[in-house]
Amino acid sequence: MWMMPQGRAVARVVRSPPPNSEGSVMGPTLPAFTPLEDSLWLTLCCRALDNRRPDPILGDAMADQIVRTSGYDYERLKIDTNLLLNATIRAKKMDEVASRFLDRHPDAVGVDLGAGLDTRRERLAPPDTVEWYDVDFPEVVTARRELIPERPHSHNVAADVNEKGWLDAVPSDKPAIIVADGLFGFLSQDEVTSLLDRLVEHFPSGNLVFNSYTRFAVWAARHSRGTKTVADLIKFPGVDNPRDFERWNPKLQLIKEILISREPEVAQFPSVLRVYYRAQARSTAWSRKGTIVLHYRF
């Protein structure tokens, strides 16, 4: 999911499955979502559309299946190629970080914050010794149970991440890999700091991986065609230096700043975008204007 701030708009979007050729209704009946919860479709549809490309970056067949099953009208999101590629490549980079951590810690706890309808656990296929927790609002968890098959050692936590009690449901005696794909952009700085403090104190050790936003990226998200559906929900002011997160919580240590423009998957981009990102990769400051994934240990 892209965001999960504490305050939520009251308007709800009610969705009905599409009719089949005989006119009867197909697919599950999903809960009514707030605009905040409804934002989960943006990254989900990016992953689904990537799977339909001849040479997908992530290859998330389950995301594609969920979109088809739900009958969601992804065309209303106006997803362009650049957004699609950036959303899927950042998910892949987070998967890679999580996979390496689980290889080293096969008894770990996995936590996906603001999981939406992401199927990261299915993509990672961790051993049965790993307990995985997907955290999101109760309405989203209800939708997950309708659309995503339950797996052993996989748990849904129905909660707002800003609430203090939800971590009680997660074991605190094992190392943790914590993933947040899109979440922090829609929390205030104080909310991010508070959440980091609680996570770091709860687990004995672990890794944290999330996508970050510079001040320019926040501005661009508010003005870009593909992200205008969520622009009004952005709360994060932007961080231009990844070391700022270490200052907010001294137990965090930066392992790597992953700049998407410098990742090998750029070779799969269409020619115009490929030329742009290869030029961007020559400058760290310029690369930081694009998609960034940050990887920390604690």
Side-chain angles (χ1 to χ4, degrees), residues 89-283:
I89 196 173
R90 85 183 190 198
K92 183 178 181 181
K93 296 299 121 177
M94 293 181 196
D95 283 0
E96 290 172 352
V97 170
S99 181
R100 289 193 296 268
F101 185 88
L102 295 176
D103 285 344
R104 298 191 306 272
H105 303 279
D107 62 340
V109 171
V111 181
D112 196 338
L113 300 172
L117 294 175
D118 200 344
T119 56
R120 178 165 281 109
R121 186 198 176 281
E122 281 69 18
R123 296 197 301 270
L124 295 176
D128 288 345
T129 49
V130 172
E131 299 293 329
W132 190 271
Y133 294 81
D134 290 299
V135 187
D136 215 314
F137 290 120
E139 294 88 345
V140 175
V141 166
T142 298
R144 286 185 64 86
R145 288 172 176 152
E146 286 286 336
L147 294 166
I148 301 173
E150 292 189 14
R151 299 279 190 260
H153 309 286
S154 183
H155 316 272
N156 288 306
V157 179
D160 182 336
V161 296
N162 289 318
E163 297 170 353
K164 295 183 179 180
W166 68 266
L167 269 168
D168 295 341
V170 183
S172 60
D173 59 345
K174 296 181 178 181
I177 176 65
I178 303 166
V179 183
D181 189 349
L183 172 65
F184 287 0
F186 296 84
L187 299 178
S188 69
Q189 181 173 320
D190 288 343
E191 288 169 338
V192 170
T193 302
S194 176
L195 177 58
L196 292 175
D197 290 346
R198 284 182 280 118
L199 290 167
V200 168
E201 290 301 320
H202 186 78
F203 299 103
S205 62
N207 279 196
L208 172 67
V209 59
F210 59 92
N211 66 301
S212 186
Y213 305 85
T214 61
R215 285 177 293 178
F216 173 83
V218 170
W219 177 89
R222 289 180 172 139
H223 294 84
S224 297
R225 179 173 177 261
T227 52
K228 281 201 170 183
T229 56
V230 297
D232 291 341
L233 299 169
I234 296 173
K235 298 171 65 178
F236 194 64
V239 168
D240 292 336
N241 188 337
R243 297 289 180 182
D244 285 351
F245 289 95
E246 295 176 323
R247 180 172 55 82
W248 296 352
N249 190 305
K251 292 185 179 180
L252 292 176
Q253 298 178 353
L254 181 66
I255 295 176
K256 186 177 181 180
E257 178 185 24
I258 304 170
L259 301 171
I260 296 304
S261 63
R262 297 177 177 176
E263 293 301 300
E265 289 81 3
V266 169
Q268 297 175 240
F269 287 16
S271 57
V272 174
L273 289 175
R274 186 168 62 248
V275 169
Y276 171 81
Y277 280 105
R278 283 178 170 167
Q280 187 185 62
R282 299 173 184 173
S283 165

